[in-house]
């Protein structure tokens, strides 16, 4: 038995990566990472238009890993006591 494969197509054109500011504010970004000009949002806010999101994510994940370790040790104590 083969299940019907539903190929989802559509969102393919103009999948531009939003800059850090727009991503944080969850607004539409008309900037371009390859183009060093600031997007209209950053221009109006007069802030630097940056695309360093990946670095922030790495730090965020490291923080999460530390949090998990802390929670695990806490759980271990609870289990030993309980
Ligand atoms: Zn932007
Ligand atoms: Zn921007």
């Amino acid at each position: 038995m083969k299940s019907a494969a539903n190929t989802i197509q559509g969102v393919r054109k103009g999948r531009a990566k939003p800059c850090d500011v727009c991503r944080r504010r969850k607004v539409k970004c008309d900037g371009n990472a390859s183009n060093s000009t600031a997007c209209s949002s950053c221009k109006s806010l007069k802030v630097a238009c940056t695309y360093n999101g990946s670095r922030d994510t790495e730090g965020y994940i490291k923080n999460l890993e530390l949090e998990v370790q802390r929670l695990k040790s806490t759980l271990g104590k609870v289990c030993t006591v309980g």
Side-chain angles (χ1 to χ4, degrees), residues 17-23 27-32 38-43 49-51:
K17 206 174 151 189
C19 70
D20 296 338
V21 176
C22 287
R23 207 189 323 170
V27 293
K28 205 174 176 184
C29 182
D30 60 355
N32 198 340
C39 69
S40 57
S41 297
C42 288
K43 272 181 189 172
C49 189
T50 54
Y51 291 86

mmCIF file of all heavy atoms in Angstrom, residues 17-23 27-32 38-43 49-51, ligand 1:
data_model
loop_
_atom_site.group_PDB
_atom_site.id
_atom_site.type_symbol
_atom_site.label_atom_id
_atom_site.label_comp_id
_atom_site.label_asym_id
_atom_site.label_seq_id
_atom_site.Cartn_x
_atom_site.Cartn_y
_atom_site.Cartn_z
ATOM 1 N N LYS A 17 15.687 36.293 3.873
ATOM 2 C CA LYS A 17 15.915 36.167 5.304
ATOM 3 C C LYS A 17 15.753 37.540 5.955
ATOM 4 O O LYS A 17 16.419 38.491 5.541
ATOM 5 C CB LYS A 17 17.344 35.655 5.521
ATOM 6 C CG LYS A 17 17.525 34.917 6.802
ATOM 7 C CD LYS A 17 18.932 34.341 6.831
ATOM 8 C CE LYS A 17 19.430 34.228 8.251
ATOM 9 N NZ LYS A 17 20.855 33.875 8.271
ATOM 10 N N PRO A 18 14.899 37.656 6.966
ATOM 11 C CA PRO A 18 14.739 38.961 7.616
ATOM 12 C C PRO A 18 15.958 39.302 8.457
ATOM 13 O O PRO A 18 16.632 38.419 8.980
ATOM 14 C CB PRO A 18 13.505 38.776 8.484
ATOM 15 C CG PRO A 18 13.436 37.316 8.759
ATOM 16 C CD PRO A 18 14.026 36.638 7.553
ATOM 17 N N CYS A 19 16.192 40.586 8.610
ATOM 18 C CA CYS A 19 17.324 41.008 9.427
ATOM 19 C C CYS A 19 16.981 40.803 10.910
ATOM 20 O O CYS A 19 15.846 40.496 11.267
ATOM 21 C CB CYS A 19 17.666 42.466 9.141
ATOM 22 S SG CYS A 19 16.444 43.626 9.754
ATOM 23 N N ASP A 20 17.984 40.965 11.763
ATOM 24 C CA ASP A 20 17.807 40.691 13.196
ATOM 25 C C ASP A 20 16.677 41.518 13.805
ATOM 26 O O ASP A 20 15.883 41.025 14.599
ATOM 27 C CB ASP A 20 19.113 40.986 13.942
ATOM 28 C CG ASP A 20 20.211 40.039 13.478
ATOM 29 O OD1 ASP A 20 19.883 38.962 12.949
ATOM 30 O OD2 ASP A 20 21.374 40.391 13.636
ATOM 31 N N VAL A 21 16.633 42.789 13.416
ATOM 32 C CA VAL A 21 15.625 43.702 13.980
ATOM 33 C C VAL A 21 14.227 43.272 13.578
ATOM 34 O O VAL A 21 13.330 43.154 14.407
ATOM 35 C CB VAL A 21 15.911 45.156 13.536
ATOM 36 C CG1 VAL A 21 14.823 46.095 14.030
ATOM 37 C CG2 VAL A 21 17.270 45.600 14.045
ATOM 38 N N CYS A 22 14.047 43.006 12.287
ATOM 39 C CA CYS A 22 12.731 42.618 11.783
ATOM 40 C C CYS A 22 12.304 41.274 12.353
ATOM 41 O O CYS A 22 11.136 41.056 12.652
ATOM 42 C CB CYS A 22 12.752 42.540 10.260
ATOM 43 S SG CYS A 22 12.821 44.167 9.498
ATOM 44 N N ARG A 23 13.255 40.369 12.498
ATOM 45 C CA ARG A 23 12.924 39.055 13.043
ATOM 46 C C ARG A 23 12.463 39.191 14.494
ATOM 47 O O ARG A 23 11.532 38.562 14.941
ATOM 48 C CB ARG A 23 14.143 38.146 12.967
ATOM 49 C CG ARG A 23 13.706 36.691 12.889
ATOM 50 C CD ARG A 23 14.847 35.738 13.024
ATOM 51 N NE ARG A 23 16.063 36.214 12.382
ATOM 52 C CZ ARG A 23 17.239 35.624 12.532
ATOM 53 N NH1 ARG A 23 17.349 34.570 13.288
ATOM 54 N NH2 ARG A 23 18.293 36.099 11.944
ATOM 55 N N VAL A 27 8.283 41.659 11.968
ATOM 56 C CA VAL A 27 7.707 42.500 10.922
ATOM 57 C C VAL A 27 8.335 42.109 9.589
ATOM 58 O O VAL A 27 9.366 41.452 9.535
ATOM 59 C CB VAL A 27 7.947 44.001 11.196
ATOM 60 C CG1 VAL A 27 7.168 44.438 12.429
ATOM 61 C CG2 VAL A 27 9.416 44.307 11.345
ATOM 62 N N LYS A 28 7.698 42.529 8.515
ATOM 63 C CA LYS A 28 8.177 42.204 7.187
ATOM 64 C C LYS A 28 9.472 42.963 6.901
ATOM 65 O O LYS A 28 9.564 44.162 7.168
ATOM 66 C CB LYS A 28 7.109 42.593 6.162
ATOM 67 C CG LYS A 28 7.202 41.795 4.888
ATOM 68 C CD LYS A 28 6.032 42.142 3.992
ATOM 69 C CE LYS A 28 6.152 41.432 2.652
ATOM 70 N NZ LYS A 28 5.058 41.856 1.758
ATOM 71 N N CYS A 29 10.434 42.229 6.367
ATOM 72 C CA CYS A 29 11.729 42.830 6.077
ATOM 73 C C CYS A 29 11.936 42.919 4.576
ATOM 74 O O CYS A 29 11.757 41.937 3.863
ATOM 75 C CB CYS A 29 12.837 42.000 6.721
ATOM 76 S SG CYS A 29 14.467 42.698 6.477
ATOM 77 N N ASP A 30 12.273 44.094 4.106
ATOM 78 C CA ASP A 30 12.530 44.248 2.681
ATOM 79 C C ASP A 30 14.026 44.405 2.410
ATOM 80 O O ASP A 30 14.436 44.812 1.331
ATOM 81 C CB ASP A 30 11.740 45.427 2.105
ATOM 82 C CG ASP A 30 12.105 46.751 2.771
ATOM 83 O OD1 ASP A 30 12.890 46.723 3.734
ATOM 84 O OD2 ASP A 30 11.597 47.791 2.346
ATOM 85 N N GLY A 31 14.817 44.100 3.419
ATOM 86 C CA GLY A 31 16.260 44.200 3.261
ATOM 87 C C GLY A 31 16.838 42.973 2.588
ATOM 88 O O GLY A 31 16.158 41.980 2.364
ATOM 89 N N ASN A 32 18.098 43.049 2.261
ATOM 90 C CA ASN A 32 18.767 41.951 1.583
ATOM 91 C C ASN A 32 20.110 41.686 2.250
ATOM 92 O O ASN A 32 20.911 42.584 2.417
ATOM 93 C CB ASN A 32 18.964 42.299 0.113
ATOM 94 C CG ASN A 32 19.236 41.060 -0.709
ATOM 95 O OD1 ASN A 32 19.641 40.023 -0.180
ATOM 96 N ND2 ASN A 32 19.018 41.147 -1.993
ATOM 97 N N ALA A 38 20.586 49.065 4.556
ATOM 98 C CA ALA A 38 19.636 48.768 5.618
ATOM 99 C C ALA A 38 18.224 48.656 5.056
ATOM 100 O O ALA A 38 17.873 49.320 4.078
ATOM 101 C CB ALA A 38 19.687 49.848 6.684
ATOM 102 N N CYS A 39 17.398 47.816 5.689
ATOM 103 C CA CYS A 39 16.018 47.670 5.247
ATOM 104 C C CYS A 39 15.213 48.887 5.718
ATOM 105 O O CYS A 39 15.676 49.676 6.549
ATOM 106 C CB CYS A 39 15.430 46.386 5.813
ATOM 107 S SG CYS A 39 15.179 46.389 7.577
ATOM 108 N N SER A 40 14.006 49.035 5.207
ATOM 109 C CA SER A 40 13.214 50.233 5.513
ATOM 110 C C SER A 40 12.896 50.330 7.006
ATOM 111 O O SER A 40 12.843 51.421 7.565
ATOM 112 C CB SER A 40 11.923 50.217 4.704
ATOM 113 O OG SER A 40 11.192 49.051 4.972
ATOM 114 N N SER A 41 12.700 49.186 7.668
ATOM 115 C CA SER A 41 12.413 49.199 9.106
ATOM 116 C C SER A 41 13.586 49.766 9.892
ATOM 117 O O SER A 41 13.414 50.615 10.755
ATOM 118 C CB SER A 41 12.119 47.779 9.588
ATOM 119 O OG SER A 41 10.968 47.284 8.968
ATOM 120 N N CYS A 42 14.791 49.278 9.568
ATOM 121 C CA CYS A 42 15.984 49.749 10.253
ATOM 122 C C CYS A 42 16.245 51.213 9.924
ATOM 123 O O CYS A 42 16.711 51.969 10.772
ATOM 124 C CB CYS A 42 17.179 48.889 9.864
ATOM 125 S SG CYS A 42 17.120 47.250 10.598
ATOM 126 N N LYS A 43 15.927 51.603 8.688
ATOM 127 C CA LYS A 43 16.126 52.994 8.291
ATOM 128 C C LYS A 43 15.236 53.908 9.114
ATOM 129 O O LYS A 43 15.655 54.955 9.604
ATOM 130 C CB LYS A 43 15.815 53.147 6.801
ATOM 131 C CG LYS A 43 17.013 52.884 5.916
ATOM 132 C CD LYS A 43 16.625 53.074 4.452
ATOM 133 C CE LYS A 43 17.743 52.597 3.541
ATOM 134 N NZ LYS A 43 17.303 52.594 2.135
ATOM 135 N N CYS A 49 21.292 47.595 10.521
ATOM 136 C CA CYS A 49 20.636 46.428 9.935
ATOM 137 C C CYS A 49 21.647 45.286 9.876
ATOM 138 O O CYS A 49 22.546 45.284 9.055
ATOM 139 C CB CYS A 49 20.132 46.781 8.536
ATOM 140 S SG CYS A 49 19.078 45.524 7.818
ATOM 141 N N THR A 50 21.496 44.311 10.765
ATOM 142 C CA THR A 50 22.466 43.225 10.864
ATOM 143 C C THR A 50 21.813 41.881 10.609
ATOM 144 O O THR A 50 20.611 41.711 10.788
ATOM 145 C CB THR A 50 23.130 43.213 12.248
ATOM 146 O OG1 THR A 50 22.117 43.162 13.248
ATOM 147 C CG2 THR A 50 23.987 44.435 12.467
ATOM 148 N N TYR A 51 22.631 40.929 10.208
ATOM 149 C CA TYR A 51 22.163 39.556 9.961
ATOM 150 C C TYR A 51 23.033 38.584 10.762
ATOM 151 O O TYR A 51 23.652 37.695 10.220
ATOM 152 C CB TYR A 51 22.240 39.245 8.467
ATOM 153 C CG TYR A 51 21.248 40.025 7.641
ATOM 154 C CD1 TYR A 51 21.562 41.300 7.187
ATOM 155 C CD2 TYR A 51 20.017 39.489 7.323
ATOM 156 C CE1 TYR A 51 20.657 42.023 6.424
ATOM 157 C CE2 TYR A 51 19.102 40.202 6.570
ATOM 158 C CZ TYR A 51 19.433 41.466 6.125
ATOM 159 O OH TYR A 51 18.540 42.171 5.370
HETATM 160 ZN ZN1 LIG B 1 14.655 44.200 8.206
#
